[in-house]
Amino acid sequence: MTMTSACRNLETQPAANAAARKQWSVAEAEALFEMPFMDLVFRAQQVHRENFDANAVQRSTLLSIKTGGCSEDCSYCSQSARYKTGLDRQQLMAVAEVVEKAKAAKAKGSSRFCMGAAWKGPKEREMETVLAMVREVKALGMETCVTLGMLKGDQAQQLKDAGLDYYNHNVDTAPEYYDKVITTHTLADRLDTIDQVRNAGINVCSGGIIGMGEGRSGRAGLLVQLANLDRPPESVPINNLVAIPGTPLAEAEKLDPFEFVRTIAAARIMMPTSFVRLSAGREQMSDEMQALCFMAGANSIFYGERLLTTDNPEADRDEKLFARLGLRPI
């Protein structure tokens, strides 16, 4: 099937039928990207309205509970010990401090509190502290999420027993591009952790980063990989690369904003029942670009002034944008 014929076939199918497919090919995903922009966004909005309230957006807050000093070589990451990014290392936070941050996030309107630690994977002595954080934040009535790197043994079950709702572990990029971004662990390692999380009964939060030089076929491959998991992730964060000085991707060419919106729209069509989240890079987006992303099917954001180690739009700016667009928090 040629790219043109694949695109034509997708355009003539009802939106619901195209969205309901369980397996996607890269050619089919690329065909979505090749659609005229307005047609693609319209298709995505149709799929979105079939599965969600089109004017409701879920808000999460992400806190770095242990910063810097990671042994991995992820080319985009300011927290890798291999790169000189000027980031100050910080040890694992105290449980009481994390709970105070969660209370403040809830007061500002976040419904989910995400805790991230710069580890290849948690050690048992660290897990005890993280489990306490999960229990205390859950007791506040918030959804809980952690990203701790790769899990082993019964760690996923321990997190489930503590009340964890979501585990974030991004696949980052297309399989064919993975070793150009990360060499200290494999994509199979990441998928193994996702399987452990799923088997423990925890919701999966997994997405990727675009704008790392992967090209359109790489962006299509990323979405295919996510959509074709045994169950697509319940939450799909789409990150627009924030080029950090000192990292190998510091000079990466900025992604065309319309290409980012296309990626959001394709993610919505391919994973119709998943929350699609605007994640890293939102600080650099105009209000108009964010509005296009919401129209294309994004229905979750990270909310607050920091996103691990990078800036994020302040809550007041988001409140004003929500008011201008008539959006409601979930």
Side-chain angles (χ1 to χ4, degrees):
M1 180 182 290
T2 65
M3 185 68 66
T4 301
S5 62
C7 186
R8 186 179 301 116
N9 287 346
L10 282 169
E11 287 182 18
T12 57
Q13 287 177 310
N17 289 344
R21 293 179 56 120
K22 292 183 179 180
Q23 294 292 308
W24 287 80
S25 70
V26 173
E28 290 170 322
E30 286 183 302
L32 290 176
F33 278 87
E34 294 292 339
M35 289 176 66
F37 182 80
M38 300 303 178
D39 291 348
L40 176 59
V41 172
F42 178 70
R43 169 74 61 79
Q45 177 67 197
Q46 285 181 306
V47 173
H48 187 56
R49 287 176 178 271
E50 289 169 0
N51 294 279
F52 290 97
D53 181 337
N55 296 301
V57 176
Q58 188 274 329
R59 304 192 293 196
S60 298
T61 293
L62 176 58
L63 175 68
S64 179
I65 59 173
K66 185 271 178 184
T67 303
C70 183
S71 63
E72 302 296 272
D73 70 348
C74 306
S75 297
Y76 52 80
C77 187
S78 64
Q79 302 199 65
S80 172
R82 298 164 185 259
Y83 312 133
K84 295 180 180 179
T85 63
L87 183 71
D88 292 331
R89 297 187 186 186
Q90 298 176 2
Q91 297 303 310
L92 186 61
M93 294 174 66
V95 174
E97 186 178 1
V98 171
V99 171
E100 287 305 310
K101 296 285 188 182
K103 288 179 179 177
K106 182 178 181 180
K108 286 187 175 182
S110 285
S111 60
R112 186 181 306 163
F113 194 70
C114 306
M115 296 161 275
W119 290 320
K120 181 173 184 176
K123 297 179 174 62
E124 288 307 315
R125 66 177 182 272
E126 299 160 335
M127 275 294 290
E128 289 304 317
T129 302
V130 173
L131 294 172
M133 292 175 184
V134 171
R135 287 190 289 265
E136 293 293 331
V137 173
K138 184 73 172 178
L140 298 177
M142 301 184 78
E143 289 184 330
T144 54
C145 177
V146 296
T147 178
L148 311 172
M150 289 175 282
L151 300 177
K152 58 186 178 181
D154 64 348
Q155 289 177 332
Q157 189 59 53
Q158 291 176 38
L159 289 165
K160 173 65 175 179
D161 293 342
L164 187 69
D165 295 299
Y166 287 82
Y167 192 89
N168 167 258
H169 203 55
N170 292 336
V171 298
D172 278 352
T173 191
E176 298 76 15
Y177 200 71
Y178 193 87
D179 62 3
K180 295 180 176 63
V181 179
I182 304 163
T183 66
T184 49
H185 60 264
T186 66
L187 176 59
D189 292 329
R190 288 186 181 252
L191 294 175
D192 177 69
T193 288
I194 290 173
D195 285 342
Q196 290 185 52
V197 168
R198 183 66 80 194
N199 291 338
I202 301 169
N203 292 315
V204 171
C205 175
S206 187
I209 305 170
I210 63 175
M212 298 191 294
E214 71 283 339
R216 181 169 280 182
S217 63
R219 291 185 279 280
L222 165 67
L223 297 182
V224 166
Q225 182 174 223
L226 293 166
N228 287 353
L229 292 173
D230 289 340
R231 281 171 54 191
E234 283 78 13
S235 182
V236 181
I238 303 295
N239 298 274
N240 197 359
L241 177 70
V242 178
I244 304 293
T247 64
L249 287 171
E251 303 301 323
E253 184 178 350
K254 290 184 178 179
L255 190 70
D256 178 0
F258 291 117
E259 189 70 8
F260 185 86
V261 180
R262 285 181 181 275
T263 307
I264 293 291
R268 170 50 65 216
I269 293 169
M270 295 170 67
M271 292 170 278
T273 62
S274 301
F275 279 89
V276 176
R277 178 183 298 140
L278 297 184
S279 298
R282 200 163 64 87
E283 171 70 14
Q284 289 74 41
M285 296 180 191
S286 67
D287 288 354
E288 292 79 7
M289 180 179 172
Q290 291 187 67
L292 279 175
C293 289
F294 293 134
M295 187 178 294
N299 62 340
S300 179
I301 62 170
F302 273 126
Y303 184 66
E305 298 170 7
R306 297 289 290 173
L307 211 174
L308 290 181
T309 63
T310 59
D311 291 337
N312 199 48
E314 293 184 2
D316 288 348
R317 174 186 166 188
D318 287 331
E319 291 287 358
K320 291 176 182 177
L321 179 59
F322 272 46
R324 291 170 67 195
L325 298 178
L327 298 176
R328 301 182 300 276
I330 294 176

